[in-house]
Amino acid sequence: MRHNKNFNHLGRQAGHRKAMLSNMASSLILHKRIETTVAKAKAVQQFVEPLVTKSKEDTTHSRRVVFSYLKQKEAVTELFRTIAPKIAERPGGYTRILKTGFRLGDAADMCIIEFVDFNEAYTFGKLPSTEEAAKPKTRRSRSKKTTDAVEDATVVAEKKAKAPRAPKATTAKAAPVAKKTNVGKKM
């Protein structure tokens, strides 16, 4: 009996499904983000996350196990060299799925699947260092700010003391040129 043995077959035979998930996982590892349908993204997420966990331990055995799933040497190298050190302290949840709307052709629900630690929009281009976290944030004295304001005021006053310039004469703008198109021409 096959009680509770259900997962999304994605409308494909087993060999095609495994090959597709392997290719999508390799693309995700190499490019750090891919755009796909939500169903495929959820399947790829279940496929990739155990491999990323396996890559935390850099041994020959774990490399061979990951290679048996991915079947691309470049993807395995990228996973073990760049991704594994960045996610070493993360206990799980290495990817996120961001829904982007519907595809025009068939209205399929589209999304972006990406690695959490490799998105510059959320990490602001860098990871927080331990030095910044260790320094206590102190308030600066107000006397320094007031002296800076006084210096800025004197600089502005000196600039205003100079003679004002005469306004520039406006030049006539050239008429916009029509854009050339290939409409009506024989190819």
Side-chain angles (χ1 to χ4, degrees):
M1 292 188 210
R2 52 176 305 276
H3 293 297
N4 291 329
K5 295 200 181 291
N6 55 347
F7 63 94
N8 195 345
H9 297 283
L10 301 171
R12 288 162 173 82
Q13 299 289 327
H16 186 189
R17 185 173 53 251
K18 288 177 187 173
M20 183 192 68
L21 290 175
S22 172
N23 288 333
M24 290 179 75
S26 296
S27 295
L28 177 64
I29 290 168
L30 292 174
H31 301 291
K32 311 298 184 279
R33 132 186 336 182
I34 57 173
E35 184 177 3
T36 183
T37 61
V38 173
K40 287 180 189 172
K42 288 179 180 178
V44 169
Q45 192 173 31
Q46 288 179 348
F47 186 85
V48 165
E49 298 225 354
L51 299 179
V52 175
T53 302
K54 184 69 85 172
S55 73
K56 287 183 177 182
E57 183 183 352
D58 191 5
T59 62
T60 306
H61 176 66
S62 62
R63 281 182 179 262
R64 287 179 177 165
V65 169
V66 169
F67 183 77
S68 72
Y69 284 96
L70 294 180
K71 299 177 178 56
Q72 285 189 17
K73 192 190 319 182
E74 298 84 15
V76 174
T77 305
E78 181 78 10
L79 179 63
F80 279 87
R81 283 196 184 153
T82 61
I83 295 174
K86 252 189 167 177
I87 53 96
E89 68 276 354
R90 185 177 288 275
Y94 311 112
T95 58
R96 76 164 63 93
I97 295 175
L98 303 169
K99 294 185 179 180
T100 58
F102 299 98
R103 189 162 49 196
L104 284 177
D106 59 353
D109 199 7
M110 299 297 287
C111 68
I112 293 173
I113 181 170
E114 64 184 4
F115 280 106
V116 174
D117 293 328
F118 288 89
N119 188 341
E120 289 82 21
Y122 291 112
T123 59
F124 301 110
K126 65 174 185 172
L127 292 175
S129 65
T130 56
E131 296 171 4
E132 291 175 2
K135 288 184 181 177
K137 299 204 176 201
T138 59
R139 223 170 174 186
R140 294 186 180 158
S141 63
R142 299 201 183 270
S143 62
K144 185 176 180 181
K145 289 182 182 176
T146 57
T147 57
D148 290 341
V150 171
E151 290 173 4
D152 291 340
T154 56
V155 171
V156 170
E158 290 173 5
K159 286 183 181 177
K160 286 185 179 179
K162 292 182 180 179
R165 290 185 178 179
K168 292 183 179 179
T170 58
T171 59
K173 292 185 179 180
V177 179
K179 190 175 184 181
K180 292 184 180 181
T181 61
N182 289 335
V183 177
K185 292 184 179 180
K186 291 184 180 179
M187 298 300 233

